[in-house]
Amino acid sequence: MTALLRVEGISKSFRGLKAVSNGSFELSRGTINALIGPNGAGKTTIFNMIAGVFAPDSGALFFKDRPIHGLRPDEICSAGIGRTFQIVKPFAGLTVLENVMVGAFLREKTAAGSRATSLRIIEKLRLKAEQPASTLTLPDRKRLEVARALATRPELLLLDEVMAGLRPTETDEMVEVFRELNRSEGTTILLIEHVMRAVMALAGHVGVLHHGEVIARGTPQEIVRDPKVLECYLGEETEV
Amino acid sequence: MTRTAALLLALLASLAALPAFAGPYGLSVAILILYFAYAGQAWNVMMGFAGQLSLGHALYVGVAGYVAGGLFFHYEVPPIVGLPAAVIACTLFGLVIGFLAFRFRISGVYFALLTIAFAEFTRIGFDHLAWTGGPGGMFLKVAQRNTWDLANFRGPPAMYYYAILAMCSLAFVACFFLLRSKAGFYWQAIRENEDAAQALGINVFRWKMAAVAASSAMTSFAGVFFAFYYNNLFPEQIFNISRSIEIILAPVIGGVGTLFGPILGAVVLTGLSEGITESLAALGWEIPGVKQVFYGLVLLGVVMFLPNGIWPFLSRKFKL
Ligand SMILES: Nc1ncnc2c1ncn2[C@@H]1O[C@H](COP(=O)(O)OP(=O)(O)OP(=O)(O)O)[C@@H](O)[C@H]1O
Ligand SMILES: [Mg+2]
């Protein structure tokens, strides 16, 4: 089976600081994958390169065997890659429903269609459709990020720390949402997560990033026993 | 919502009946109010919906006025033909400004400055054009004041009143549907957060261009109306920045981004200021500048107490 997303040796520096160096990995269709690593490891930078926020300095990205490096974020989204922002970016002047409808309009031609799709997603994520986005709590803002991205009906969903700040029961609910999505729609997922509870429950494959380099990969069980991983997390707070 | 619809119908009915009992002065004030409501609605598409601040909308009023007015003046082309020409010319102007700004990622205050600059360049340009009459102005022949001649846009004040009332109503309906369409959602998303909008598949450049095109095309109708209502055009006046500011006052006072804001703002500003001037005159007090002071006070009050404008406050209070 060919990979849905192929990342080949991508690097990115910010004014001399190497945020990501020579990162490579592949995501198979229909899998759930996690990217973990300490703060500043370069995880979000990898997302931003996949999502087209900026092009890699070197290396290449292929989605369904089509090169996507150099495309704009909206082109990447249209191609079928949805993303959430770690630092949430709600449309504060709009309601939850209106926020999600913006995403749904990518595939829905009419307002009625977009509305129907959005209401289904909003219910799944236990948000209130008519609530102004500006009054949402942080966990709900994260849910809104997810709802909006889902509304674009992505084949690959990039989730940047969407469980941060959720209570354990809420985390489990969110995990269930992604499992169900993966099962019913076959959506491929790549999540960045510090909450190991979620990573262990969801991911079949985990990559560990440290100082911009992939230092380990494997199943969650292999990863938590890897001495290199334990070393880079030493002194870091992790919730297992 | 049904309550709002009922209120709107009642308003429209009373506005339609107005010429029957308003005197010439009352009618001229009503025309002025509707003119600013219309121009404000057009500006609101760009700023209120899509978040692109234009401080140069006088440009579109002026270009449209001169195109339709000039065609009529020089070649006796009726405004019914001049209007489409004016719409095309204004849309092109808007698209050029939009292209320069959005291609080079000029936004916010710098975008606003660019719109001012364009209006100023155009003013200077028109001052030096022989075709427009230069600084001496262009005067359209005033004729046929008693019969309605819509093709030539010549007739009694009531005709201009009904024309601008129709323009306002159509603009309101158009904006109502725009806001609920994909375009409205995309524009508001761009206004709220461009990065998030782009991540949801929105081609930000294209949709901003669409907003500028829609707004400038709508504004050109106001320009043609202006030319044939006042019958004289001077670059110094029509392109003046104070004209651009005048256009944005109504929506700012009434509520940027709302459908009723421009209308309400125009009523409050023009209606009340004319009313005050008249009442003072009736008392024998002619105070120069009283209108400007009134504008200043209203603006100050709104900024301090209702920073989102009057309409959002009213609609919350009366659940409209
Ligand atoms: N737009 C940017 N401009 C300059 N430096 C940046 C930018 N984005 C990221 N960096 C830097 O690149 C490095 C990697 O950042 P990144 O956000 O990818 O880390 P991360 O793994 O997502 O961390 P966290 O777990 O805290 O979210 C950091 O040193 C960061 O300061
Ligand atoms: Mg990050």
Side-chain angles (χ1 to χ4, degrees):
Chain A
M1 193 166 71
T2 73
L4 181 66
L5 180 77
R6 232 165 56 229
V7 177
E8 290 181 357
I10 55 171
S11 303
K12 179 79 195 172
S13 304
F14 295 107
R15 283 182 230 95
L17 171 98
K18 258 205 174 304
V20 173
S21 57
N22 200 26
S24 297
F25 58 87
E26 292 189 353
L27 305 180
S28 311
R29 220 177 249 285
T31 55
I32 302 184
N33 313 269
L35 188 59
I36 66 169
N39 291 111
K43 305 180 296 291
T44 300
T45 304
I46 287 188
F47 265 28
N48 281 337
M49 284 189 278
I50 299 174
V53 174
F54 33 69
D57 296 338
S58 59
L61 293 155
F62 298 90
F63 183 63
K64 296 197 275 191
D65 290 328
R66 193 167 78 97
I68 57 165
H69 40 275
L71 294 187
R72 289 191 314 266
D74 55 293
E75 294 171 321
I76 303 262
C77 180
S78 302
I81 302 181
R83 63 104 33 114
T84 67
F85 289 96
Q86 177 179 3
I87 301 179
V88 294
K89 299 180 192 287
F91 303 128
L94 308 184
T95 65
V96 166
L97 175 61
E98 289 164 341
N99 265 267
V100 182
M101 281 176 73
V102 172
F105 268 114
L106 182 66
R107 316 277 179 209
E108 299 282 350
K109 294 293 152 250
T110 66
S114 156
R115 195 185 159 85
T117 306
S118 302
L119 285 172
R120 266 200 309 280
I121 293 168
I122 287 168
E123 196 189 323
K124 214 186 287 182
L125 285 159
R126 296 171 188 252
L127 288 162
K128 292 190 198 75
E130 296 308 325
Q131 191 174 356
S134 57
T135 65
L136 293 172
T137 60
L138 185 61
D140 279 346
R141 282 171 197 232
K142 299 246 168 191
R143 288 193 184 95
L144 181 60
E145 284 283 330
V146 175
R148 267 191 335 202
L150 281 183
T152 66
R153 288 212 238 118
E155 286 174 69
L156 170 62
L157 181 58
L158 307 175
L159 302 166
D160 199 344
E161 297 197 25
V162 292
M163 321 252 192
L166 296 190
R167 285 191 290 265
T169 51
E170 293 174 325
T171 303
D172 294 344
E173 271 172 32
M174 192 76 115
V175 164
E176 203 37 58
V177 168
F178 295 134
R179 266 216 197 107
E180 155 67 19
L181 180 77
N182 174 255
R183 208 169 30 220
S184 62
E185 321 254 329
T187 310
T188 309
I189 295 173
L190 176 60
L191 59 129
I192 294 174
E193 208 48 77
H194 282 299
V195 182
M196 287 307 284
R197 179 191 178 91
V199 173
M200 301 298 282
L202 265 176
H205 314 270
V206 181
V208 184
L209 207 63
H210 189 41
H211 291 317
E213 294 180 44
V214 182
I215 59 160
R217 58 183 87 212
T219 65
Q221 288 72 25
E222 288 163 3
I223 288 297
V224 291
R225 273 189 237 102
D226 191 316
K228 274 187 300 201
V229 177
L230 293 176
E231 194 186 324
C232 89
Y233 270 108
L234 218 63
E236 291 264 340
E237 277 181 51
T238 44
E239 313 167 39
V240 179
Chain B
M1 193 58 230
T2 43
R3 226 171 105 193
T4 316
L7 266 169
L8 259 180
L9 278 179
L11 182 70
L12 196 61
S14 42
L15 284 176
L18 187 111
F21 41 85
Y25 173 72
L27 205 56
S28 74
V29 173
I31 289 173
L32 207 56
I33 291 175
L34 290 171
Y35 173 81
F36 282 119
Y38 178 85
Q41 197 77 266
W43 175 82
N44 203 32
V45 169
M46 210 165 131
M47 175 57 194
F49 297 178
Q52 306 305 309
L53 175 57
S54 165
L55 292 179
H57 255 50
L59 169 70
Y60 308 119
V61 173
V63 167
Y66 270 109
V67 167
L71 285 173
F72 184 71
F73 179 80
H74 290 290
Y75 317 113
E76 286 174 14
V77 174
I80 200 151
V81 179
L83 176 68
V87 172
I88 291 168
C90 282
T91 311
L92 284 178
F93 261 85
L95 287 176
V96 167
I97 296 175
F99 182 85
L100 288 176
F102 307 144
R103 216 6 71 156
F104 299 105
R105 292 174 200 284
I106 295 168
S107 60
V109 178
Y110 301 100
F111 177 73
L113 285 177
L114 190 73
T115 61
I116 295 176
F118 261 87
E120 282 296 291
F121 289 151
T122 314
R123 176 180 66 78
I124 295 164
F126 274 51
D127 253 343
H128 291 86
L129 276 181
W131 194 76
T132 63
M138 177 186 281
F139 298 88
L140 305 184
K141 255 204 317 282
V142 185
Q144 292 186 10
R145 274 284 167 183
N146 295 318
T147 53
W148 285 41
D149 180 0
L150 273 175
N152 285 306
F153 210 45
R154 289 280 166 240
M159 185 194 77
Y160 292 100
Y161 173 80
Y162 282 115
I164 192 83
L165 179 61
M167 279 162 66
C168 263
S169 311
L170 287 177
F172 182 88
V173 172
C175 287
F176 176 89
F177 284 109
L178 266 180
L179 259 191
R180 276 153 191 76
S181 71
K182 179 168 171 169
F185 277 83
Y186 275 17
W187 284 338
Q188 292 181 86
I190 290 168
R191 177 191 76 197
E192 295 292 321
N193 192 312
E194 256 181 55
D195 292 337
Q198 213 177 8
L200 294 174
I202 300 175
N203 184 334
V204 171
F205 174 78
R206 211 177 80 194
W207 284 97
K208 279 187 186 172
M209 290 291 274
V212 176
S215 181
S216 52
M218 269 176 83
T219 310
S220 60
F221 282 76
V224 175
F225 178 88
F226 186 98
F228 286 84
Y229 180 60
Y230 288 108
N231 296 309
N232 56 65
L233 298 163
F234 301 93
E236 192 56 50
Q237 288 176 10
I238 202 161
F239 291 113
N240 202 294
I241 177 148
S242 64
R243 278 292 142 88
S244 294
I245 301 294
E246 227 169 39
I247 289 173
I248 83 171
L249 280 180
V252 166
I253 302 266
V256 175
T258 66
L259 287 172
F260 288 96
I263 302 170
L264 190 63
V267 171
V268 169
L269 277 179
T270 311
L272 288 188
S273 73
E274 289 294 330
I276 288 175
T277 324
E278 271 310 287
S279 324
L280 289 179
L283 292 172
W285 297 335
E286 298 266 5
I287 309 170
V290 69
K291 208 183 282 183
Q292 279 68 20
V293 171
F294 174 78
Y295 277 23
L297 287 178
V298 172
L299 204 56
L300 195 67
V302 167
V303 168
M304 282 176 67
F305 301 111
L306 305 168
N308 294 322
I310 303 173
W311 175 254
F313 165 77
L314 284 184
S315 75
R316 224 177 311 120
K317 188 125 189 157
F318 299 103
K319 306 223 175 344
L320 289 170

